[in-house]
Amino acid sequence: MSLGEIVIRCIAIDDEPLALKQMKDFISKISFLKLVASFDNASDALNYIKTNTVDLVFLDVEMDDFSGIQFLEVLDKKPFIILTTAYESYALKGYELEVSDYLLKPISYQRFVQSVNRIYDKMSSTLVAKPFIEGQPGLTSKEFMFVKTKHQLQKVIFSDILYLEGLSNYIILRLKKETVYTLSSFQKIYELLPPENFIRVHKSYVIALDKIDKITKNSIHIGEKTIPIGQTYKMGFFDRMKKMNLM
């Protein structure tokens, strides 16, 4: 799996319409979560998982006909599972079935963020190092990318990037010696970047970790540029810094 940071493909299963809507709303606020499907019953979700790639399932326990526990018991290859239920009594059974977390309804957004950040960290730790280019020791297989500018493709070396900024339909790449504008999806460009040195800190900003000059409570300084840290991304950013022993 590649990181963009990471994009975690998830599904939500809940037979309560309001609970399902809340979960979908929560997922939409997290940059590394991609909701690929949602279901009001576990049977349809099981069929979906058989033919589609799913990294994470938000699973309600109490459902008619086919419960969340039954769903887990018949699932052959388990993605990460986060149980959602109003009943504490299912916690032990959930952990026996090796679920990743257990969210007790009503679910707070803070608790949701903590849970998905743990999944993010687990998936990050499974990444393998990028391979070396045969015959060129010291060079990895991906040190640059090409972005479309006007009527040409321009080479951008990753180590030259200070930060990316989203502006309307354009992405601004601030490099050491120049600024490049490209008409592209923010997420698409983000997923081309090597994960070990880039992280999204705001809905409109991705920064290079090795280019940071100063960090305050709510902002990052790269040269003379002050970049805000979005509330949704703050916990993930500081956790990443600690995990990399940078602070």
Side-chain angles (χ1 to χ4, degrees), residues 1-235:
M1 178 176 293
S2 63
L3 259 175
E5 353 169 316
I6 286 174
V7 175
I8 301 176
R9 291 158 295 197
C10 58
I11 65 173
I13 312 169
D14 202 312
D15 63 353
E16 299 176 19
L18 290 178
L20 186 60
K21 182 181 184 302
Q22 181 194 49
M23 186 57 61
K24 291 163 69 174
D25 288 343
F26 282 179
I27 291 169
S28 70
K29 295 178 181 179
I30 305 297
S31 64
F32 54 80
L33 294 182
K34 180 179 180 180
L35 182 67
V36 294
S38 62
F39 303 91
D40 61 7
N41 68 88
S43 297
D44 289 345
L46 185 63
N47 290 330
Y48 181 88
I49 288 178
K50 288 178 180 178
T51 56
N52 295 274
T53 300
V54 175
D55 304 310
L56 170 62
V57 178
F58 296 94
L59 176 63
D60 182 33
V61 175
E62 285 286 331
M63 290 183 285
D64 293 335
D65 299 327
F66 193 34
S67 73
I69 298 300
Q70 291 172 321
F71 172 88
L72 289 175
E73 290 174 338
V74 300
L75 200 58
D76 293 328
K77 186 177 180 181
K78 288 187 176 66
F80 290 103
I81 304 290
I82 296 178
L83 289 184
T84 64
T85 179
Y87 302 96
E88 294 184 11
S89 57
Y90 286 107
L92 179 59
K93 183 62 176 178
Y95 284 115
E96 288 175 354
L97 292 168
E98 299 181 336
V99 303
S100 299
D101 206 350
Y102 182 98
L103 299 180
L104 191 63
K105 297 178 180 180
I107 301 167
S108 72
Y109 181 64
Q110 180 180 1
R111 181 68 181 87
F112 173 83
V113 170
Q114 291 173 345
S115 185
V116 297
N117 275 333
R118 292 193 191 105
I119 303 298
Y120 177 93
D121 289 341
K122 288 178 182 178
M123 291 187 67
S124 298
S125 67
T126 64
L127 292 175
V128 296
K130 292 184 292 184
F132 289 98
I133 298 177
E134 186 176 355
Q136 299 185 52
L139 289 180
T140 63
S141 61
K142 189 180 178 186
E143 294 185 342
F144 57 88
M145 64 181 175
F146 286 90
V147 298
K148 188 174 182 179
T149 59
K150 296 183 180 179
H151 301 295
Q152 64 182 9
L153 293 173
Q154 180 167 338
K155 182 178 181 179
V156 175
I157 299 172
F158 294 134
S159 60
D160 286 343
I161 299 174
L162 304 178
Y163 61 90
L164 273 63
E165 180 179 356
L167 181 64
S168 187
N169 294 325
Y170 285 87
I171 306 300
I172 304 172
L173 294 90
R174 303 289 184 185
L175 311 180
K176 290 178 180 179
K177 296 182 180 180
E178 63 177 320
T179 299
V180 175
Y181 296 83
T182 182
L183 184 62
S184 179
S185 157
F186 196 92
Q187 187 66 27
K188 181 178 179 181
I189 294 293
Y190 187 21
E191 291 177 0
L192 293 174
L193 301 173
E196 63 271 17
N197 196 42
F198 290 88
I199 186 169
R200 193 168 186 173
V201 297
H202 186 276
K203 65 179 182 179
S204 300
Y205 288 97
V206 169
I207 57 105
L209 290 169
D210 64 341
K211 303 302 191 301
I212 297 174
D213 294 313
K214 184 170 61 176
I215 302 171
T216 63
K217 183 178 180 181
N218 296 306
S219 63
I220 294 164
H221 298 259
I222 297 178
E224 297 182 357
K225 177 69 174 181
T226 299
I227 297 170
I229 303 175
Q231 192 62 38
T232 301
Y233 305 88
K234 181 177 291 187
M235 184 181 297

